[in-house]
Amino acid sequence: MIAVGIDVSKSKSTVAILNGDGSIRAKPFDVHHVADELQALVDYIKRTSEPPTILMEPTSHYHYPLLKAFTEAELPVCLINPYQMKKYGDTELRKAKTDKRDSLRIAQYALEKSYSLIPYTPQDQKYEDLRFLSRQYSQRISTLTVAKVQLLSLLDETMPGITTILPLKSRDPDNCVLLRFIKRFKSFDVIRKMGKTRFLDSYQVLVKKTKDRFAGSKGLAIYELVLNSVTTRGENPLSAMTQDQCVDLVSTSQKAADEINLQMRINLQMRIIAETMPEYKVLRSMAGVGDRLGPIILGEIGDIRRFHSGKALNAYAGNDAPPYQSGQFESRNRHISKRGNPALRKACFEVMQALKLTKPQDDPVYLFLLKKEQEGKPYNVAKMAAVNKFLRIYYARAMELYK
């Protein structure tokens, strides 16, 4: 066999090829991520008379051109965790960091660990698509959160206290009375100039365009708030412009997040119909996992068969507490490592919050969470302990499908 090690970077990669005895077959050379050079690399590997083991690190999205070229050529390619390669390189006494040395190190690892490497498959691409959508959804939600904070900060100066009467319901921006109210009236100073009768008539017209049945009775309360409030930027046209932009950003961000979430559900349903992801049924049947969290957790975990135990799955999520012992000392107060997938850890934490709201009395994870809280464990400690149990149960149930 030959071992092909690839150190991936933006727009180009460094490739090193070793023979089965560890000798260098091809010294490290650069390959740019363009069609002709990638095809030349594929042709060179195919011309060899020995089966290749191709190994590279999944570096952001930079490795996708190489991955596409190898899979289309039906060459087996494996991906390795960059942190795992870093720890492998830590065994060297004389450390140096260059792309050429990294490619040789990756090729050497491929040669030594070829028996344990699992080639990339089309099934993995489906998990990648789910993970991509879940990350995009998280980014849209982050943008939405920032926009909402900025909008509420501006309202403290232009319409102080308005959110106590008209709450910000961004989940349905087209029918949110507060967002329409802001776009129509701009500030409390504008309402004062309108007068009571004119404002109430205009407010009733605005409310009729929404589905909020209770907003119509809040006109007098709003006008009383207007008379007793002190605005600091009510007459500032720049504040009104910025405020309108924040309203538009909140609405656009929410709609973008909803569209991605809907796309995640559509893709997942297609795969369920095709029976390519049987473990999703197991995940969806667990308490606290709904249509939003299910695709996110499944995409972040990927193929469950790549973990040898539930403990390994928790370590991947960064929810493990590694032991620390030296001589006669053994630590008893250990924290989770947080060296893992933060998106998976966050999604599982949201599952625990859902369990606290729904209170399923027959769910083992919820009962375990209550037990930890009754033991006096802090809020986050109890929930992360329950996350540990949740992932172990999911691993055990999902692996039964493949036995």
Side-chain angles (χ1 to χ4, degrees), residues 62-129:
Y62 301 144
H63 69 290
Y64 286 157
L66 287 162
L67 187 61
K68 181 180 180 181
F70 289 136
T71 52
E72 289 181 350
E74 298 183 351
L75 289 173
V77 56
C78 306
L79 304 179
I80 184 171
N81 191 314
Y83 183 74
Q84 190 174 351
M85 275 308 309
K86 180 181 182 301
K87 300 306 291 184
Y88 177 76
D90 287 345
T91 59
E92 299 178 359
L93 294 177
R94 190 166 178 267
K95 297 182 180 180
K97 178 68 176 72
T98 65
D99 291 345
K100 293 182 178 181
R101 288 182 66 93
D102 288 345
S103 62
L104 284 171
R105 187 179 297 119
I106 294 172
Q108 185 66 37
Y109 185 94
L111 198 62
E112 294 181 7
K113 307 290 186 179
S114 59
Y115 62 91
S116 63
L117 297 177
I118 301 176
Y120 186 87
T121 64
Q123 181 77 2
D124 295 324
Q125 182 60 47
K126 296 176 181 179
Y127 292 110
E128 286 285 345
D129 292 342

Coordinates of all heavy atoms in Angstrom, one line a residue, residues 62-129:
Y62 N -12.1 24.2 3.5 CA -11.0 24.2 2.5 C -10.7 22.8 1.9 O -10.2 22.7 0.9 CB -9.7 24.7 3.2 CG -9.9 26.1 3.7 CD1 -9.2 26.5 4.9 CD2 -10.7 27.1 3.1 CE1 -9.4 27.8 5.4 CE2 -10.8 28.4 3.6 CZ -10.2 28.7 4.8 OH -10.3 30.0 5.3
H63 N -11.1 21.8 2.6 CA -10.8 20.4 2.1 C -11.9 19.9 1.2 O -11.7 18.8 0.6 CB -10.7 19.4 3.3 CG -12.0 19.2 4.0 ND1 -12.6 20.1 4.8 CD2 -12.8 18.1 4.1 CE1 -13.7 19.6 5.3 NE2 -13.9 18.4 4.9
Y64 N -12.9 20.6 1.0 CA -14.0 20.1 0.1 C -13.6 19.9 -1.3 O -14.0 18.9 -1.9 CB -15.2 21.1 0.2 CG -16.0 21.0 1.5 CD1 -16.8 22.1 1.9 CD2 -16.0 19.9 2.3 CE1 -17.5 22.0 3.1 CE2 -16.7 19.8 3.5 CZ -17.4 20.9 3.9 OH -18.2 20.8 5.0
P65 N -12.8 20.7 -2.0 CA -12.4 20.4 -3.3 C -11.6 19.1 -3.5 O -11.9 18.3 -4.4 CB -11.5 21.6 -3.7 CG -12.0 22.7 -2.8 CD -12.4 22.1 -1.6
L66 N -10.7 18.9 -2.5 CA -10.0 17.6 -2.5 C -10.9 16.4 -2.3 O -10.9 15.4 -3.0 CB -8.9 17.6 -1.5 CG -7.7 18.5 -1.8 CD1 -6.9 18.7 -0.5 CD2 -6.8 17.8 -2.8
L67 N -11.8 16.6 -1.3 CA -12.8 15.5 -1.0 C -13.6 15.2 -2.2 O -13.9 14.0 -2.5 CB -13.6 15.9 0.2 CG -14.5 14.9 0.8 CD1 -13.8 13.7 1.3 CD2 -15.4 15.5 1.9
K68 N -14.1 16.2 -2.9 CA -14.9 16.0 -4.1 C -14.2 15.3 -5.2 O -14.7 14.3 -5.8 CB -15.5 17.3 -4.6 CG -16.4 17.2 -5.8 CD -16.9 18.6 -6.2 CE -17.8 18.4 -7.5 NZ -18.3 19.7 -7.9
A69 N -12.9 15.7 -5.4 CA -12.1 15.1 -6.5 C -11.9 13.6 -6.2 O -12.0 12.7 -7.1 CB -10.8 15.8 -6.6
F70 N -11.6 13.2 -4.9 CA -11.3 11.8 -4.6 C -12.5 11.0 -4.6 O -12.5 9.8 -5.1 CB -10.6 11.8 -3.2 CG -9.2 12.3 -3.2 CD1 -8.8 13.1 -2.1 CD2 -8.3 12.0 -4.2 CE1 -7.5 13.6 -2.1 CE2 -7.0 12.5 -4.1 CZ -6.6 13.3 -3.1
T71 N -13.7 11.5 -4.1 CA -14.9 10.7 -4.1 C -15.4 10.5 -5.5 O -15.9 9.4 -5.8 CB -16.0 11.4 -3.3 OG1 -16.1 12.7 -3.7 CG2 -15.6 11.3 -1.8
E72 N -15.3 11.5 -6.4 CA -15.8 11.3 -7.8 C -14.9 10.3 -8.5 O -15.3 9.6 -9.4 CB -15.8 12.6 -8.5 CG -16.9 13.6 -8.0 CD -16.9 14.9 -8.8 OE1 -15.9 15.1 -9.5 OE2 -17.9 15.7 -8.6
A73 N -13.6 10.2 -8.1 CA -12.7 9.3 -8.7 C -12.7 7.9 -8.1 O -12.0 7.0 -8.4 CB -11.2 9.8 -8.7
E74 N -13.6 7.8 -7.1 CA -13.8 6.5 -6.3 C -12.5 6.1 -5.6 O -12.2 4.9 -5.6 CB -14.3 5.4 -7.2 CG -15.7 5.7 -7.8 CD -16.2 4.6 -8.7 OE1 -15.5 3.6 -9.0 OE2 -17.4 4.6 -9.1
L75 N -11.8 7.0 -5.1 CA -10.6 6.7 -4.3 C -11.0 6.8 -2.8 O -11.6 7.8 -2.4 CB -9.5 7.7 -4.6 CG -8.8 7.6 -6.0 CD1 -7.8 8.7 -6.2 CD2 -8.1 6.2 -6.1
P76 N -10.6 5.9 -2.0 CA -10.9 5.9 -0.6 C -10.1 7.0 0.1 O -8.9 7.1 0.0 CB -10.5 4.5 -0.1 CG -9.4 4.1 -1.0 CD -9.8 4.7 -2.4
V77 N -10.8 7.9 0.8 CA -10.2 9.0 1.5 C -10.7 9.0 2.9 O -11.9 8.8 3.2 CB -10.5 10.4 0.8 CG1 -12.0 10.6 0.6 CG2 -9.9 11.5 1.5
C78 N -9.9 9.3 3.9 CA -10.2 9.3 5.3 C -10.0 10.7 5.9 O -9.1 11.4 5.4 CB -9.4 8.3 6.1 SG -9.5 6.6 5.4
L79 N -10.8 11.1 6.8 CA -10.6 12.3 7.5 C -10.2 12.1 9.0 O -10.7 11.1 9.6 CB -11.9 13.1 7.5 CG -12.5 13.4 6.1 CD1 -13.8 14.2 6.2 CD2 -11.5 14.2 5.2
I80 N -9.4 12.9 9.5 CA -8.9 12.7 10.9 C -9.1 14.1 11.6 O -8.9 15.1 11.1 CB -7.4 12.3 10.9 CG1 -7.0 12.0 12.4 CG2 -6.5 13.3 10.2 CD1 -5.7 11.3 12.5
N81 N -9.4 14.0 12.9 CA -9.6 15.1 13.7 C -8.2 15.9 13.8 O -7.2 15.3 14.2 CB -10.0 14.7 15.1 CG -10.5 15.8 16.0 OD1 -9.8 16.9 16.0 ND2 -11.6 15.7 16.6
P82 N -8.2 17.2 13.5 CA -6.9 17.9 13.6 C -6.3 17.9 15.0 O -5.0 17.8 15.1 CB -7.3 19.4 13.3 CG -8.6 19.2 12.5 CD -9.3 18.0 13.0
Y83 N -7.1 17.8 16.1 CA -6.5 17.7 17.4 C -5.8 16.4 17.6 O -4.8 16.3 18.3 CB -7.6 17.9 18.5 CG -7.1 17.9 19.9 CD1 -6.4 19.0 20.4 CD2 -7.3 16.8 20.7 CE1 -5.9 19.0 21.7 CE2 -6.8 16.8 22.0 CZ -6.1 17.9 22.5 OH -5.6 17.9 23.8
Q84 N -6.4 15.3 17.0 CA -5.8 14.0 17.1 C -4.4 14.0 16.5 O -3.4 13.4 17.0 CB -6.7 13.0 16.5 CG -6.2 11.5 16.8 CD -7.2 10.5 16.3 OE1 -8.3 10.9 15.9 NE2 -6.9 9.3 16.3
M85 N -4.3 14.7 15.3 CA -3.0 14.8 14.6 C -2.0 15.6 15.4 O -0.8 15.4 15.4 CB -3.2 15.4 13.2 CG -3.6 14.4 12.2 SD -2.5 13.0 12.0 CE -0.9 13.8 11.9
K86 N -2.5 16.7 16.1 CA -1.6 17.5 16.9 C -1.0 16.7 18.0 O 0.2 16.8 18.3 CB -2.4 18.7 17.5 CG -1.6 19.6 18.3 CD -2.4 20.8 18.9 CE -1.6 21.7 19.7 NZ -1.0 21.1 20.9
K87 N -1.9 15.9 18.7 CA -1.3 15.1 19.8 C -0.4 14.0 19.3 O 0.6 13.6 20.0 CB -2.5 14.4 20.6 CG -3.5 15.4 21.2 CD -2.8 16.4 22.1 CE -2.3 15.8 23.3 NZ -1.7 16.8 24.3
Y88 N -0.6 13.5 18.1 CA 0.3 12.6 17.5 C 1.7 13.2 17.2 O 2.7 12.6 17.4 CB -0.3 12.0 16.2 CG 0.6 11.1 15.4 CD1 0.7 9.8 15.8 CD2 1.3 11.5 14.3 CE1 1.6 8.9 15.1 CE2 2.1 10.6 13.6 CZ 2.2 9.3 14.0 OH 3.0 8.5 13.3
G89 N 1.6 14.5 16.8 CA 2.9 15.2 16.5 C 3.6 15.6 17.8 O 4.8 15.8 17.8
D90 N 2.9 15.6 18.9 CA 3.6 16.0 20.2 C 4.6 14.9 20.7 O 5.4 15.2 21.6 CB 2.5 16.2 21.3 CG 1.7 17.5 21.1 OD1 2.2 18.3 20.3 OD2 0.7 17.6 21.7
T91 N 4.5 13.7 20.1 CA 5.5 12.7 20.5 C 6.9 12.9 19.9 O 7.8 12.3 20.4 CB 5.0 11.3 20.0 OG1 4.8 11.3 18.6 CG2 3.6 11.0 20.6
E92 N 7.0 13.8 19.0 CA 8.3 14.1 18.4 C 9.1 15.0 19.4 O 8.6 15.9 20.0 CB 8.1 14.8 17.1 CG 7.4 14.0 16.0 CD 7.2 14.8 14.7 OE1 7.6 16.0 14.7 OE2 6.6 14.2 13.8
L93 N 10.4 14.7 19.5 CA 11.3 15.4 20.4 C 11.6 16.8 19.8 O 11.7 17.8 20.5 CB 12.5 14.6 20.7 CG 12.4 13.3 21.5 CD1 13.7 12.6 21.7 CD2 11.8 13.6 22.9
R94 N 11.9 16.8 18.6 CA 12.3 18.0 17.9 C 11.1 18.5 17.1 O 10.8 18.0 16.0 CB 13.5 17.8 17.0 CG 14.2 19.1 16.4 CD 15.5 18.8 15.8 NE 16.1 20.0 15.3 CZ 16.0 20.3 14.0 NH1 15.3 19.6 13.2 NH2 16.5 21.4 13.5
K95 N 10.5 19.5 17.6 CA 9.2 20.0 17.0 C 9.5 21.1 16.0 O 10.3 22.0 16.2 CB 8.3 20.5 18.1 CG 7.8 19.4 19.0 CD 6.8 20.0 20.0 CE 6.4 18.9 21.0 NZ 5.4 19.4 22.0
A96 N 8.8 21.0 14.9 CA 8.9 22.0 13.8 C 7.5 22.1 13.2 O 6.8 21.0 13.0 CB 10.0 21.8 12.8
K97 N 7.1 23.2 12.7 CA 5.8 23.4 12.1 C 5.9 24.0 10.7 O 6.2 25.2 10.5 CB 4.9 24.3 13.0 CG 3.5 24.6 12.4 CD 2.7 23.3 12.4 CE 1.3 23.6 11.9 NZ 1.2 23.9 10.4
T98 N 5.9 23.1 9.7 CA 5.8 23.6 8.3 C 4.8 22.7 7.6 O 4.5 21.6 8.0 CB 7.1 23.4 7.6 OG1 7.5 22.1 7.5 CG2 8.2 24.2 8.3
D99 N 4.3 23.1 6.4 CA 3.3 22.4 5.7 C 3.9 21.1 5.2 O 3.2 20.0 5.2 CB 2.8 23.2 4.5 CG 1.9 24.3 5.0 OD1 1.5 24.4 6.1 OD2 1.6 25.2 4.1
K100 N 5.2 21.1 4.8 CA 5.8 19.8 4.3 C 5.9 18.8 5.4 O 5.7 17.6 5.2 CB 7.2 20.2 3.7 CG 7.1 21.0 2.5 CD 8.5 21.3 1.9 CE 8.4 22.1 0.6 NZ 9.7 22.3 0.0
R101 N 6.4 19.2 6.6 CA 6.5 18.3 7.7 C 5.1 17.8 8.2 O 5.0 16.6 8.5 CB 7.2 19.0 8.9 CG 8.7 19.2 8.7 CD 9.3 19.8 9.9 NE 9.3 18.9 11.0 CZ 10.3 18.1 11.3 NH1 11.4 18.0 10.5 NH2 10.2 17.3 12.3
D102 N 4.1 18.7 8.1 CA 2.8 18.2 8.5 C 2.2 17.2 7.6 O 1.6 16.2 8.0 CB 1.8 19.4 8.5 CG 2.1 20.4 9.7 OD1 2.8 19.9 10.7 OD2 1.6 21.5 9.7
S103 N 2.5 17.3 6.3 CA 2.0 16.3 5.3 C 2.7 15.0 5.5 O 2.1 13.9 5.4 CB 2.2 16.9 3.9 OG 3.6 17.1 3.6
L104 N 4.0 15.0 5.8 CA 4.7 13.8 6.1 C 4.2 13.1 7.3 O 4.1 11.9 7.4 CB 6.2 14.1 6.2 CG 7.0 14.3 4.9 CD1 8.4 14.8 5.1 CD2 7.0 13.1 4.0
R105 N 3.9 14.0 8.3 CA 3.4 13.4 9.6 C 2.0 12.7 9.4 O 1.8 11.7 9.9 CB 3.3 14.5 10.6 CG 2.9 14.1 12.0 CD 2.8 15.2 13.0 NE 4.1 15.9 13.1 CZ 4.4 17.2 12.8 NH1 3.4 17.9 12.3 NH2 5.6 17.7 13.0
I106 N 1.2 13.4 8.6 CA -0.1 12.8 8.3 C 0.0 11.5 7.5 O -0.7 10.5 7.8 CB -1.0 13.8 7.5 CG1 -1.3 15.0 8.4 CG2 -2.3 13.2 7.0 CD1 -2.0 16.2 7.6
A107 N 0.9 11.5 6.5 CA 1.2 10.2 5.8 C 1.7 9.1 6.7 O 1.3 8.0 6.5 CB 2.2 10.5 4.6
Q108 N 2.6 9.5 7.6 CA 3.1 8.5 8.6 C 2.0 7.9 9.4 O 1.9 6.7 9.7 CB 4.2 9.1 9.4 CG 4.9 8.1 10.4 CD 5.7 7.1 9.6 OE1 6.3 7.4 8.6 NE2 5.7 5.9 10.1
Y109 N 1.1 8.8 9.9 CA 0.0 8.3 10.7 C -0.9 7.4 9.9 O -1.4 6.4 10.4 CB -0.8 9.5 11.1 CG -2.0 9.2 12.1 CD1 -1.8 9.3 13.5 CD2 -3.2 8.8 11.6 CE1 -2.8 8.9 14.3 CE2 -4.2 8.5 12.5 CZ -4.0 8.6 13.8 OH -5.1 8.2 14.7
A110 N -1.1 7.7 8.6 CA -2.0 6.9 7.7 C -1.3 5.5 7.6 O -2.0 4.5 7.5 CB -2.2 7.5 6.4
L111 N 0.0 5.5 7.5 CA 0.7 4.2 7.4 C 0.6 3.4 8.6 O 0.4 2.1 8.6 CB 2.2 4.5 7.0 CG 3.0 3.3 6.4 CD1 2.4 2.9 5.1 CD2 4.5 3.8 6.3
E112 N 0.7 4.0 9.8 CA 0.7 3.3 11.0 C -0.7 2.8 11.4 O -0.9 1.8 12.0 CB 1.3 4.1 12.2 CG 2.8 4.4 12.0 CD 3.3 5.2 13.1 OE1 2.6 5.5 14.1 OE2 4.5 5.7 13.0
K113 N -1.7 3.7 11.2 CA -3.1 3.5 11.7 C -4.1 3.1 10.5 O -5.3 3.2 10.7 CB -3.6 4.7 12.3 CG -2.7 5.3 13.4 CD -2.6 4.4 14.7 CE -1.8 5.0 15.8 NZ -1.8 4.2 17.0
S114 N -3.6 2.6 9.4 CA -4.4 2.3 8.3 C -5.5 1.3 8.7 O -6.6 1.3 8.1 CB -3.6 1.7 7.1 OG -2.9 0.6 7.5
Y115 N -5.2 0.4 9.6 CA -6.2 -0.6 10.0 C -7.4 0.0 10.7 O -8.5 -0.6 10.7 CB -5.5 -1.7 10.9 CG -5.0 -1.1 12.2 CD1 -5.8 -1.1 13.3 CD2 -3.7 -0.6 12.3 CE1 -5.4 -0.5 14.5 CE2 -3.3 0.0 13.5 CZ -4.1 0.0 14.6 OH -3.6 0.5 15.8
S116 N -7.3 1.2 11.3 CA -8.4 1.8 12.1 C -9.0 2.9 11.4 O -10.0 3.5 11.9 CB -7.8 2.2 13.4 OG -6.8 3.3 13.3
L117 N -8.6 3.3 10.2 CA -9.1 4.4 9.5 C -10.4 4.0 8.8 O -10.4 2.9 8.2 CB -8.1 5.1 8.5 CG -6.9 5.7 9.2 CD1 -5.9 6.1 8.1 CD2 -7.2 6.8 10.1
I118 N -11.4 4.9 8.8 CA -12.7 4.6 8.1 C -12.9 5.5 7.0 O -12.8 6.7 7.1 CB -13.9 4.7 9.1 CG1 -13.7 3.8 10.3 CG2 -15.2 4.5 8.4 CD1 -14.8 3.9 11.4
P119 N -13.0 5.0 5.7 CA -13.1 5.9 4.6 C -14.4 6.7 4.6 O -15.4 6.3 5.2 CB -13.2 4.9 3.4 CG -12.5 3.6 3.9 CD -12.9 3.6 5.4
Y120 N -14.3 7.9 4.0 CA -15.5 8.8 3.9 C -16.5 8.2 2.9 O -16.1 7.6 1.9 CB -15.0 10.1 3.4 CG -16.1 11.2 3.3 CD1 -16.3 12.0 4.4 CD2 -16.8 11.4 2.2 CE1 -17.3 13.0 4.4 CE2 -17.7 12.4 2.1 CZ -18.0 13.2 3.2 OH -18.9 14.2 3.2
T121 N -17.8 8.2 3.3 CA -18.8 7.6 2.5 C -19.9 8.7 2.1 O -20.0 9.7 2.7 CB -19.5 6.5 3.2 OG1 -20.2 7.0 4.4 CG2 -18.5 5.4 3.7
P122 N -20.7 8.4 1.1 CA -21.8 9.3 0.8 C -22.8 9.6 2.0 O -23.4 10.6 2.0 CB -22.6 8.6 -0.4 CG -21.5 7.8 -1.0 CD -20.6 7.3 0.1
Q123 N -22.9 8.6 2.9 CA -23.7 8.8 4.0 C -23.2 9.9 4.9 O -23.9 10.7 5.5 CB -23.8 7.5 4.9 CG -24.7 7.6 6.1 CD -26.1 7.5 5.8 OE1 -26.5 7.4 4.6 NE2 -27.0 7.6 6.8
D124 N -21.8 10.0 5.0 CA -21.2 11.1 5.7 C -21.6 12.5 5.2 O -21.7 13.4 5.9 CB -19.7 10.9 5.8 CG -19.3 9.7 6.5 OD1 -20.0 9.3 7.5 OD2 -18.3 9.0 6.1
Q125 N -21.8 12.5 3.9 CA -22.1 13.8 3.2 C -23.5 14.3 3.7 O -23.7 15.5 3.9 CB -22.1 13.7 1.7 CG -22.4 15.0 1.0 CD -21.4 16.1 1.3 OE1 -20.2 15.9 1.3 NE2 -22.0 17.3 1.6
K126 N -24.4 13.4 4.0 CA -25.7 13.8 4.5 C -25.6 14.3 5.9 O -26.3 15.3 6.2 CB -26.6 12.5 4.4 CG -26.9 12.0 3.0 CD -27.7 10.7 3.0 CE -27.9 10.2 1.6 NZ -28.7 9.0 1.6
Y127 N -24.8 13.8 6.7 CA -24.6 14.3 8.0 C -23.9 15.7 7.9 O -24.2 16.6 8.7 CB -23.7 13.4 8.9 CG -24.4 12.1 9.3 CD1 -24.0 10.9 8.7 CD2 -25.4 12.1 10.2 CE1 -24.6 9.7 9.1 CE2 -26.0 10.9 10.5 CZ -25.6 9.7 10.0 OH -26.2 8.5 10.3
E128 N -23.0 15.9 6.9 CA -22.4 17.1 6.7 C -23.4 18.2 6.3 O -23.3 19.3 6.7 CB -21.3 17.0 5.6 CG -20.0 16.3 6.1 CD -19.1 17.2 6.9 OE1 -19.4 18.4 7.0 OE2 -18.3 16.6 7.6
D129 N -24.4 17.8 5.5 CA -25.4 18.8 5.0 C -26.2 19.2 6.2 O -26.5 20.4 6.4 CB -26.3 18.1 4.0 CG -25.6 17.9 2.7 OD1 -24.5 18.5 2.5 OD2 -26.0 17.0 1.9

